[in-house]
Amino acid sequence: MTAGPLDGITVLAAEQMHSLPHATQLLALMGAEVIKIEPVGGEAGRGGRPVVTDSDGRPTGSTFLRNNLGKQSVGLDLKADAGRTLFLRLAATVDVVAENFRPGTADGLGIGYDAVRAVNPSVVYVSVSGFGNRSDPPSPYREWAAYAPIVEGMAGLYEYSRDPDAAPRPALAGALGDTGPGLYAVIGVLAALHQRTTTGRGAYVDIA
């Protein structure tokens, strides 16, 4: 099998649903080794609908199956000291650490950028969230949770097809609000990895 352009790159991803899992699957398709971190009971995408039967005969959400091809998966309780310690041990050995929690959640769990950089100074760390983690100044919506239909609706995407006096019909573009940020996350990671080859420095990539 021919090695991909990201052969030798390892990604550790605490991820769920579509936006970041889509991004890390693209990195895996380019040859990166992706280690997916899930809660012990499995990430939310496993329970999404529609449900299909996986290769082991288990009913599994299609969101999970379409976004996690070619990845390894580890179940960790990141709210427990042992889970957090193991995450940081893994983070010290990889090139990229990624998460798509609400802003502040990774820091609260002890696996945010500063904690990971302390054990891996050259790490490329990427966050994907509804309105970004930036705090200088923050988005007025920074603390909001956001699935794709929220930001698609705020952008007016549903208005062009809405009949007068009718409610908007969400998800007309196939989770564009998740797929777009996932693509920008890939671009950011690739740029940061390229920069690291010349400077030796890691980076923090924040995607809204």
Side-chain angles (χ1 to χ4, degrees):
M1 181 176 176
T2 304
L6 295 184
D7 186 53
I9 296 294
T10 304
V11 179
L12 179 67
E15 58 180 20
Q16 52 277 320
M17 293 306 288
H18 182 58
S19 59
L20 183 58
H22 174 63
T24 56
Q25 178 163 268
L26 293 175
L27 297 174
L29 290 170
M30 287 186 274
E33 178 185 10
V34 178
I35 305 168
K36 180 184 181 73
I37 300 300
E38 300 185 64
V40 175
E43 65 119 313
R46 288 184 181 269
R49 296 185 179 183
V51 173
V52 296
T53 302
D54 71 11
S55 59
D56 295 319
R58 299 170 298 190
T60 306
S62 59
T63 296
F64 181 85
L65 293 177
R66 75 170 180 250
N67 285 326
N68 294 289
L69 186 68
K71 300 179 187 179
Q72 301 181 56
S73 181
V74 178
L76 289 181
D77 180 0
L78 294 175
K79 296 180 180 178
D81 289 342
R84 179 170 54 254
T85 298
L86 182 52
F87 184 94
L88 292 175
R89 284 176 58 191
L90 290 168
T93 69
V94 303
D95 300 283
V96 179
V97 172
E99 57 89 8
N100 66 332
F101 297 117
R102 287 176 63 174
T105 299
D107 287 332
L109 291 170
I111 61 167
Y113 177 54
D114 289 338
V116 170
R117 185 174 57 172
V119 299
N120 186 347
S122 64
V123 72
V124 172
Y125 191 104
V126 59
S127 297
V128 179
S129 62
F131 302 99
N133 284 266
R134 181 174 175 166
S135 58
D136 56 342
S139 163
Y141 311 117
R142 182 179 183 271
E143 304 305 320
W144 290 15
Y147 286 107
I150 300 295
V151 292
E152 290 168 2
M154 291 177 70
L157 186 63
Y158 304 148
E159 291 301 306
Y160 76 93
S161 64
R162 184 169 71 87
D163 295 327
D165 302 320
R169 291 180 294 154
L172 295 174
L176 178 64
D178 280 329
T179 303
L183 294 175
Y184 280 108
V186 171
I187 293 168
V189 167
L190 295 177
L193 287 173
H194 176 70
Q195 176 180 267
R196 193 179 68 175
T197 63
T198 57
T199 67
R201 296 194 304 268
Y204 178 46
V205 179
D206 185 27
I207 304 295

